[in-house]
Amino acid sequence: QVQLVESGGGLVQAGGSLRLSCAASGRIFSINAMGWYRQAGGKQRELVGVISSGGSTNYADSVKGRFTISRDNAKNTVYLQMNSLKPEDTAVYYCNVEARTVTSYVVEYYWGKGTLVTVSS
């Protein structure tokens, strides 16, 4: 009932930048936290950063100072600005949204399909 579409992934050289976007659509009543996770080959999915409805942010230690998460509530969109990228940032990046739909009182978590970020050395 909530669809998430990510964009902005691609191939970039080490030290470069990318900006990911994730737009939520559907019968949305409200959105709470929005976040980004990533999963590298053979590893578990891990949190990259999360932003609350009020704008508070939290980041994984590995990306602090390099990545910035932001959101546009009017557009139901969350962004991830990634600077000073490293080869170890290579992963599939997933958008995650905590939302309630107009047909339910239950808050649920929704996932995007992921966008691949590849950082070459």
Side-chain angles (χ1 to χ4, degrees):
Q1 298 189 17
V2 176
Q3 295 79 43
L4 302 178
V5 177
E6 299 123 328
S7 61
L11 174 64
V12 64
Q13 287 189 331
S17 298
L18 281 175
R19 189 191 193 210
L20 305 184
S21 299
C22 172
S25 62
R27 305 186 70 188
I28 298 170
F29 178 80
S30 62
I31 296 178
N32 298 335
M34 306 180 83
W36 290 94
Y37 289 72
R38 67 185 181 186
Q39 187 167 19
K43 297 185 178 180
Q44 289 188 331
R45 191 173 298 188
E46 63 176 4
L47 174 69
V48 175
V50 62
I51 184 167
S52 71
S53 57
S56 298
T57 58
N58 191 32
Y59 298 96
D61 288 342
S62 59
V63 307
K64 282 181 181 177
R66 300 188 298 122
F67 290 11
T68 302
I69 190 170
S70 60
R71 62 191 285 170
D72 184 334
N73 292 329
K75 296 181 179 179
N76 289 337
T77 299
V78 61
Y79 305 96
L80 184 67
Q81 178 66 45
M82 305 185 292
N83 298 329
S84 301
L85 282 160
K86 305 175 181 179
E88 51 263 43
D89 293 319
T90 295
V92 178
Y93 284 70
Y94 297 91
C95 174
N96 176 263
V97 167
E98 181 186 9
R100 180 190 152 191
T101 64
V102 297
T103 58
S104 174
Y105 292 102
V106 178
V107 174
E108 297 185 69
Y109 291 90
Y110 298 88
W111 291 93
K113 294 183 178 181
T115 184
L116 177 62
V117 172
T118 303
V119 184
S120 63
S121 57

